[in-house]
Amino acid sequence: MPNIARASIEKPLYTWLIILTMLLGGIWGFLNLGRLEDPAFTIKQAVVVTQYPGATAAQVATEVSEPLESALQKMEEVEKITSTNRPGESRIDVEIKSTYPAEALPDIWTRLRARVRDTSRQLPDNALPPFVNDSFGDVFGLYYAVTAPGFTDAEKYDLGTYLRRELLVVDGVADVDLSGIPEEAIYIEPDMTLSVNQGIPPAAIIGAVSSANSVTSAGSLNKDGARLMFQAPEGSETVSDIASLSIGVNGQLFNVADVAKVSRERVATPDQIIRFNGEEAFTIGIAGLDTEDIVKVGHRVDARLAQLSADIPYGIELHPIYQQHLVVEQSSNDFLKNLAMSVGIVIVVLGAFMGWRAAIVIGATLLLTVVGTLLFMAIFSIEMERISLGALIIAMGMLVDNAIVVAEGMQISMLRGRSSLAAADDAAKKTQIPLLGATVIGIMAFAGIGLSPDSTGEFLFSLFAVIGISLLLSWVLALTVTPLLGHYLFKVSNQDAADAYSGRFFVLYKKILDKSLTFRWPVIAGLVAITMVCFVGFGSVKQQFFPNSNTPLFFVYYKLPQGSSIQQVSDDLEVMEDWLLNEQNVTSVASYAGRGAVRFMLTYDGGKDNQSYGHLIIRTNALEDIPDIHARLETFGKENFPEAEFRVQRLVFGPGGGDPIQVRFSGGDPSVLRDLADQAMQVMADSSDNLLNLRTDWREQELVIEPVYATQRAQTAGINRDDVAASLLYATDGLRAGVYRERERQIPIIMRRPQPEEFNLNDQLVFSPITGTYLPIEQLIEGFDYRVENTLVQRRNRVPTMSVGADVATDVTAAQAHTEIRSAVEAIPLPSGYTMEWGGEFENASKAQASLGAQLPLSALIMVMISILLFNAIRQPIIIWLLVPMSVNGVVVGLLGTGLPFSFTALLGLLSLSGMLIKNGIVLVEEIDLVRAEGVPLRPAIIEASASRVRPVVLAAVTTILGMAPLLSDAFFVSMSVTIMGGLAFASVLTLVAAPVFYYVFFKRDEKRELAMQPAR
């Protein structure tokens, strides 16, 4: 292989072109990089919603969900189908296999729609056409609450649509979502006394108003070669016009207003009620295009809102709930600070140990490597987001190694009197191949994650790509830029070989290593014992899938018993809001009754729609304020709302919103499922004190009243079952009489009993078309049946499935709690035909680890093969790989000492640590081989080679450890930082002591053979 280092000095123009390209290109790349909060990631999920008015949850599951699920399950792309069935509505969630790329989804959704459309012909007649939503995963990262006190509901609607229309034209905006705008209806409340006396049937009133301002065709006329269009007469334009409509009954003519009150009001039971800081509000969420820099889009939106403020009436305010562009911008700025601090630390440490010349050479190489990586990120369209920034931080520990090894080699050679050209030639000739092999091995440690064909690989691809780019670039620059800068800055001296490593530090290290070689077996035994103890100790390290976020937000999930009204939920939330707003460190509180917020973060889950569900998004002044408020709010909730499920949860990096602990039971009989769920909750409560809010996802059964239809009497009067149901609907929710059009808005017209009026079941009247009079409902039925039934029926892959969920105490991880209950729950006897499986964080972590585990064997095989090819031998790679299991020692000590959990980011840190350890081991073992090749006996060769590598190893470790220090305050990276810092500190000892000792043990017989052959010579 040509000597790259020598060429870089002989042809400096090319090297300077590389330097300028990296520097200027890196600046250009940073300014043009797309910036996101999380990697662009496709949520491969669609939702199919079907309305089936009047049906029970069981009927919806059997008559709507079952045929649709059966058709969808035949698609080979489908991973999982779950459905939530409630009275009158089916919601089916279809999850596509994660191995299908995002580019394949449009075609999959097209075929899914076709299957739904074909199957809809088999659904009951009164089931509405299914609606397919494949934009379920859209992220509305710019999220605001809008308050407009004193404005009417119609004015709020106009305001919301105006803002949406204006923001949709902003460059880079993909969609704008409006939620919580008050829903209105036109209510017609007949005077039943007049209706009965005059014999006015409900159908007459409905017929009069149903086409009040409908749009119908009036045809056209072709005459004399021209086409003449006709339009239908103008309809009623106001509520008063509707009240003036005429009703003809028995030859008499009435106005609607003569027999009914007509009013435009807010609907009695809205889908959602939103408040912000205790004030009624609606929300507006803005989603940016995937291809756009969210920071730039966010600032464009801010600028447009500032322009619109002049046209918005006084008193209307927009309150930010979440501003993704500011979060991303802050992350980018923090990265630049950490980068500057890391480079500064490298320069200071190297200046102290190697002199200012070496510090400048290596620091400049490190800086060029980082900015060069930004250049290639821009070229390959890799956005700057949480994962790619994390990859750069991980790589920082490995980037400096190559430059240190080359600079150290040059310095030592020049101290021995060799010219810079010869020194570069010597340093590179010995190390360029080992460094390349070690660099590739370091990259391959992450290949299993980044090249995984499933969603894990899609989400974490930038980790692998950035680490690969930066490490390969560090190797190139270490062999080009480092020699050239060393040529300019390093000085030639005339020391002999011994003088280069005659300092106190080197002398002390040689003595320690010599003693370690002498007492090699006790040293090995000690290392093995320490490793075994640490592996046992690893069982005491807390396990956590994803760490808590560093955004000062946390949530309340509130659930009243199934069947509670949305107004009651809203009233309870108002009490919580008042308590929170009196807290000094609470900045804002957004409350949602009936439904959570739109997805404003990729990992956010606002919960499922339910009239008895409430949700709070709470922002504090600082992250440190959350634990205290969290604890006191939890106590407040338990004391003041004992009948409710009250859960306070932190925002986490990674998938959120699900149950930390969950076990699922599947089978055909709902009563058996409830019995199994009850047993599980009892067992879980008895097995662990760390579980909170035990619950099932079927929730409580509800009381249902059903009239017993008197067939003979009712049919004699010409009244069927639908007439009885319509009478009850009129007395409760109201009958849909038509639609009132107001520009693009369609407002329902509903006929209902006068409000407020006492409700009595037996007082309801049903109009008889045969007699032309109203009859009491009690004459048409045999009475009422009262029963309880499931109003939430959950299915998973077409099988009824009941999940038991639980939260865990704040000082306990889900993994710990799961360990406490696992054996007891799995011991519950299951009836024939029923199954049990774990969900929650255990399932998520198992899937992620299985995905990683499926790819790691191939990566490990490639890494082993590279190490064998590097040495063209077996013993040297074995020595290096024996060090890898021991790297966990420092990790365990670091995590146990700080009390931090071993999270997914800590796993990434462990992989990075393995790469560093293998690289150091390769360079050291290669150096020993080279010294032995010069004819030096085994033991002196080990000591001499190890001494020549001690400074690069120690300096790389110290610079990396100190470079990680700024990240200790970052919630996402703290466990990774401690993993690398603690692990690297111990790994340095392994490299400088264990590797030489193992080498001596493995090659001791060679030394004996050499000594035995010497007399024969």
Side-chain angles (χ1 to χ4, degrees):
M1 185 173 182
N3 195 314
I4 302 173
R6 186 182 188 91
S8 69
I9 297 175
E10 291 177 339
K11 299 178 181 179
L13 177 61
Y14 296 140
T15 308
W16 278 109
L17 283 176
I18 293 174
I19 292 173
L20 291 175
T21 300
M22 295 299 104
L23 187 61
L24 300 179
I27 295 171
W28 170 85
F30 178 77
L31 296 176
N32 289 275
L33 270 176
R35 284 176 287 181
L36 299 172
E37 184 173 13
D38 291 292
F41 176 73
T42 306
I43 296 179
K44 302 177 178 72
Q45 188 171 346
V47 179
V48 182
V49 179
T50 309
Q51 302 293 332
Y52 186 13
T56 66
Q59 289 171 329
V60 169
T62 304
E63 300 175 29
V64 175
S65 293
E66 169 58 29
L68 288 172
E69 291 172 5
S70 179
L72 294 173
Q73 199 173 42
K74 295 175 183 177
M75 295 179 64
E76 63 178 1
E77 300 91 347
V78 170
E79 171 78 17
K80 180 180 66 178
I81 298 175
T82 58
S83 67
T84 300
N85 304 275
R86 64 185 76 201
E89 181 184 89
S90 160
R91 174 192 165 117
I92 301 173
D93 291 86
V94 184
E95 188 175 317
I96 303 301
K97 291 176 182 176
S98 59
T99 51
Y100 285 90
E103 296 77 19
L105 289 181
D107 179 60
I108 293 174
W109 300 144
T110 300
R111 288 188 286 111
L112 182 144
R113 281 189 167 86
R115 284 189 178 270
V116 170
R117 184 172 58 252
D118 293 343
T119 309
S120 63
R121 303 189 187 103
Q122 306 170 20
L123 301 183
D125 292 339
N126 58 332
L128 300 180
F131 168 72
V132 179
N133 177 16
D134 59 14
S135 59
F136 177 75
D138 288 353
V139 177
F140 297 85
L142 310 176
Y143 190 47
Y144 302 87
V146 183
T147 56
F151 288 81
T152 66
D153 292 343
E155 289 169 334
K156 291 177 182 177
Y157 177 85
D158 290 340
L159 171 65
T161 54
Y162 169 73
L163 290 172
R164 184 176 189 274
R165 185 172 59 248
E166 293 297 325
L167 291 174
L168 275 173
V169 300
V170 174
D171 187 27
V173 169
D175 194 11
V176 177
D177 175 85
L178 294 173
S179 299
I181 291 181
E183 304 166 54
E184 292 185 279
I186 295 174
Y187 289 105
I188 299 174
E189 299 174 352
D191 185 321
M192 288 308 297
T193 303
L194 286 174
S195 297
V196 170
N197 290 336
Q198 298 297 329
I200 302 174
I205 300 176
I206 292 174
V209 302
S210 62
S211 58
N213 70 342
S214 61
V215 176
T216 57
S217 172
S220 62
L221 178 66
N222 291 317
K223 188 174 176 108
D224 299 330
R227 186 183 181 193
L228 182 64
M229 299 287 297
F230 290 93
Q231 286 190 346
E234 194 71 30
S236 304
E237 295 296 329
T238 63
V239 173
S240 59
D241 289 343
I242 295 175
S244 300
L245 292 172
S246 299
I247 306 171
V249 179
N250 299 327
Q252 293 183 295
L253 202 62
F254 303 92
N255 286 338
V256 173
D258 294 337
V259 296
K261 174 187 173 185
V262 182
S263 61
R264 176 172 174 166
E265 301 175 17
R266 189 174 293 189
V267 297
T269 308
D271 291 333
Q272 187 179 38
I273 299 173
I274 298 176
R275 282 188 301 272
F276 184 82
N277 285 348
E279 194 170 10
E280 187 178 89
F282 66 89
T283 60
I284 183 166
I286 301 107
L289 292 168
D290 290 341
T291 55
E292 290 283 332
D293 182 344
I294 192 61
V295 175
K296 295 178 181 177
V297 174
H299 286 307
R300 289 187 208 124
V301 169
D302 288 343
R304 184 59 183 148
L305 288 174
Q307 294 172 356
L308 294 176
S309 62
D311 299 326
I312 295 176
Y314 179 77
I316 295 173
E317 293 186 58
L318 270 74
H319 310 271
I321 297 176
Y322 192 78
Q323 293 175 290
Q324 190 182 58
H325 62 298
L326 299 183
V327 174
V328 173
E329 192 170 39
Q330 182 64 43
S331 298
S332 300
N333 294 336
D334 289 345
F335 167 73
L336 288 177
K337 292 177 185 175
N338 287 332
L339 173 61
M341 290 177 66
S342 296
V343 174
I345 288 170
V346 168
I347 293 174
V348 170
V349 173
L350 294 177
F353 288 93
M354 295 180 69
W356 66 269
R357 299 173 188 275
I360 293 176
V361 170
I362 299 171
T365 305
L366 175 62
L367 179 61
L368 289 173
T369 303
V370 174
V371 296
T373 302
L374 297 178
L375 167 63
F376 285 102
M377 286 174 63
I379 292 173
F380 295 122
S381 300
I382 301 172
E383 292 89 357
M384 186 181 289
E385 27 77 9
R386 180 177 289 128
I387 300 301
S388 60
L389 289 179
L392 273 171
I393 293 167
I394 291 171
M396 288 289 288
M398 296 185 277
L399 296 183
V400 74
D401 284 2
N402 292 331
I404 288 179
V405 170
V406 174
E408 164 84 0
M410 280 190 69
Q411 267 196 328
I412 296 301
S413 292
M414 292 176 71
L415 285 175
R416 293 171 177 171
R418 295 179 66 81
S419 68
S420 59
L421 190 62
D425 189 69
D426 289 345
K429 185 166 58 179
K430 291 194 301 182
T431 60
Q432 63 182 12
I433 296 299
L435 286 178
L436 177 61
T439 298
V440 174
I441 288 175
I443 295 170
M444 291 306 300
F446 295 89
I449 296 175
L451 298 182
S452 177
D454 57 12
S455 56
T456 303
E458 182 183 358
F459 189 75
L460 295 173
F461 174 75
S462 62
L463 177 82
F464 169 70
V466 171
I467 287 177
I469 291 169
S470 59
L471 291 186
L472 285 175
L473 196 57
S474 75
W475 179 78
V476 172
L477 295 179
L479 295 176
T480 54
V481 174
T482 302
L484 181 63
L485 296 181
H487 168 69
Y488 293 143
L489 293 176
F490 293 162
K491 287 188 174 183
V492 178
S493 183
N494 290 306
Q495 296 181 13
D496 59 26
D499 290 339
Y501 300 109
S502 59
R504 292 182 181 178
F505 173 73
F506 294 103
V507 171
L508 177 62
Y509 170 68
K510 290 177 182 178
K511 288 181 178 179
I512 293 173
L513 183 56
D514 187 54
K515 292 291 185 183
S516 299
L517 295 177
T518 301
F519 300 100
R520 52 192 175 278
W521 294 115
V523 169
I524 292 175
L527 287 171
V528 171
I530 292 172
T531 302
M532 291 177 63
V533 169
C534 287
F535 267 96
V536 173
F538 190 76
S540 302
V541 176
K542 297 178 181 178
Q543 304 292 309
Q544 187 181 52
F545 191 33
F546 281 103
N548 290 324
S549 170
N550 53 10
T551 302
L553 287 178
F554 69 104
F555 307 126
V556 170
Y557 294 90
Y558 184 71
K559 181 69 173 62
L560 283 173
Q562 186 69 10
S564 301
S565 70
I566 191 172
Q567 284 82 8
Q568 183 60 54
V569 173
S570 181
D571 292 343
D572 290 352
L573 292 179
E574 193 169 9
V575 175
M576 302 174 208
E577 293 167 54
D578 291 340
W579 186 89
L580 285 164
L581 292 172
N582 285 323
E583 289 290 316
Q584 183 178 358
N585 293 320
V586 171
T587 303
S588 65
V589 181
S591 74
Y592 304 81
R595 185 170 66 239
V598 299
R599 190 189 297 272
F600 60 89
M601 296 178 66
L602 180 65
T603 56
Y604 169 78
D605 181 3
K608 292 185 177 180
D609 302 0
N610 196 309
Q611 291 278 298
S612 57
Y613 169 71
H615 183 56
L616 295 178
I617 300 176
I618 304 149
R619 179 177 287 274
T620 60
N621 290 326
L623 193 66
E624 296 75 23
D625 300 326
I626 292 180
D628 175 59
I629 299 173
H630 181 293
R632 291 189 292 110
L633 176 60
E634 204 159 46
T635 302
F636 173 82
K638 300 295 184 187
E639 292 176 352
N640 290 272
F641 308 101
E643 75 287 356
E645 177 188 305
F646 186 91
R647 297 185 288 131
V648 185
Q649 286 191 0
R650 292 284 300 272
L651 178 64
V652 298
F653 291 115
D659 300 328
I661 300 293
Q662 186 187 83
V663 60
R664 295 188 293 264
F665 296 96
S666 299
D669 189 343
S671 60
V672 175
L673 293 178
R674 283 199 177 271
D675 179 59
L676 290 172
D678 289 341
Q679 291 183 56
M681 285 194 288
Q682 186 61 52
V683 167
M684 291 162 73
D686 292 341
S687 302
S688 174
D689 296 328
N690 295 315
L691 299 184
L692 309 171
N693 303 313
L694 288 158
R695 56 196 177 271
T696 72
D697 62 348
W698 287 43
R699 301 297 178 176
E700 301 81 8
Q701 293 180 303
E702 292 186 54
L703 178 67
V704 176
I705 303 174
E706 180 183 347
V708 181
Y709 182 68
T711 305
Q712 187 173 356
R713 293 201 306 269
Q715 289 182 347
T716 301
I719 295 172
N720 57 32
R721 288 178 172 82
D722 289 348
D723 296 327
V724 174
S727 171
L728 294 173
L729 181 61
Y730 161 81
T732 53
D733 296 332
L735 285 167
R736 183 75 172 255
V739 174
Y740 173 71
R741 293 181 304 105
E742 192 173 63
R743 299 185 303 279
E744 78 281 0
R745 191 180 188 190
Q746 296 191 17
I747 302 174
I749 301 174
I750 298 174
M751 188 170 71
R752 66 180 183 182
R753 64 183 173 86
Q755 305 287 316
E757 183 181 274
E758 288 190 10
F759 176 71
N760 189 310
L761 272 176
N762 291 319
D763 289 343
Q764 304 313 307
L765 302 174
V766 185
F767 185 80
S768 170
I770 293 179
T771 64
T773 60
Y774 284 86
L775 300 177
I777 195 173
E778 60 184 351
Q779 295 182 13
L780 309 171
I781 61 174
E782 302 290 354
F784 292 94
D785 274 350
Y786 300 85
R787 66 175 187 275
V788 292
E789 68 177 34
N790 296 309
T791 55
L792 274 179
V793 174
Q794 309 285 355
R795 290 160 57 95
R796 185 181 179 91
N797 293 331
R798 299 177 58 200
V799 180
T801 301
M802 187 174 295
S803 300
V804 177
D807 298 315
V808 297
T810 53
D811 57 341
V812 176
T813 65
Q816 288 176 288
H818 180 265
T819 302
E820 294 172 353
I821 64 171
R822 181 173 183 175
S823 58
V825 172
E826 291 178 350
I828 296 175
L830 298 177
S832 176
Y834 289 78
T835 60
M836 185 277 288
E837 61 182 354
W838 290 102
E841 192 171 303
F842 175 80
E843 181 181 44
N844 294 335
S846 298
K847 285 182 177 179
Q849 290 164 5
S851 172
L852 183 61
Q855 306 302 319
L856 279 182
L858 179 60
S859 300
L861 178 62
I862 294 173
M863 293 163 70
V864 171
M865 292 302 296
I866 291 174
S867 61
I868 292 174
L869 292 174
L870 275 175
F871 294 99
N872 194 27
I874 296 295
R875 285 181 290 180
Q876 288 90 338
I878 292 175
I879 292 169
I880 294 166
W881 285 95
L882 280 174
L883 304 178
V884 174
M886 298 182 182
S887 64
V888 78
N889 298 353
V891 175
V892 172
V893 173
L895 293 177
L896 286 177
T898 57
L900 290 169
F902 185 78
S903 64
F904 191 74
T905 57
L907 173 61
L908 300 181
L910 185 58
L911 292 175
S912 171
L913 178 65
S914 301
M916 296 182 216
L917 182 58
I918 291 171
K919 175 184 279 191
N920 287 336
I922 287 174
V923 175
L924 174 59
V925 172
E926 176 73 12
E927 181 69 16
I928 297 174
D929 284 348
L930 290 173
V931 174
R932 288 185 65 206
E934 295 173 359
V936 180
L938 177 63
R939 187 165 179 143
I942 292 175
I943 295 174
E944 180 183 333
S946 299
S948 69
R949 294 271 71 86
V950 66
R951 185 158 58 179
V953 169
V954 171
L955 288 179
V958 171
T959 53
T960 301
I961 290 171
L962 294 179
M964 289 288 164
L967 298 176
L968 293 175
S969 59
D970 190 305
F972 185 64
F973 293 115
V974 60
S975 61
M976 182 188 76
S977 301
V978 170
T979 297
I980 293 176
M981 294 169 77
L984 193 55
F986 195 86
S988 301
V989 176
L990 289 176
T991 303
L992 297 174
V993 176
V997 168
F998 284 140
Y999 193 100
Y1000 190 63
V1001 169
F1002 273 78
F1003 288 90
K1004 179 67 175 171
R1005 290 185 179 179
D1006 290 2
E1007 184 184 39
K1008 291 180 178 179
R1009 192 180 305 117
E1010 292 170 2
L1011 292 174
M1013 293 173 62
Q1014 282 180 0
R1017 292 175 186 171

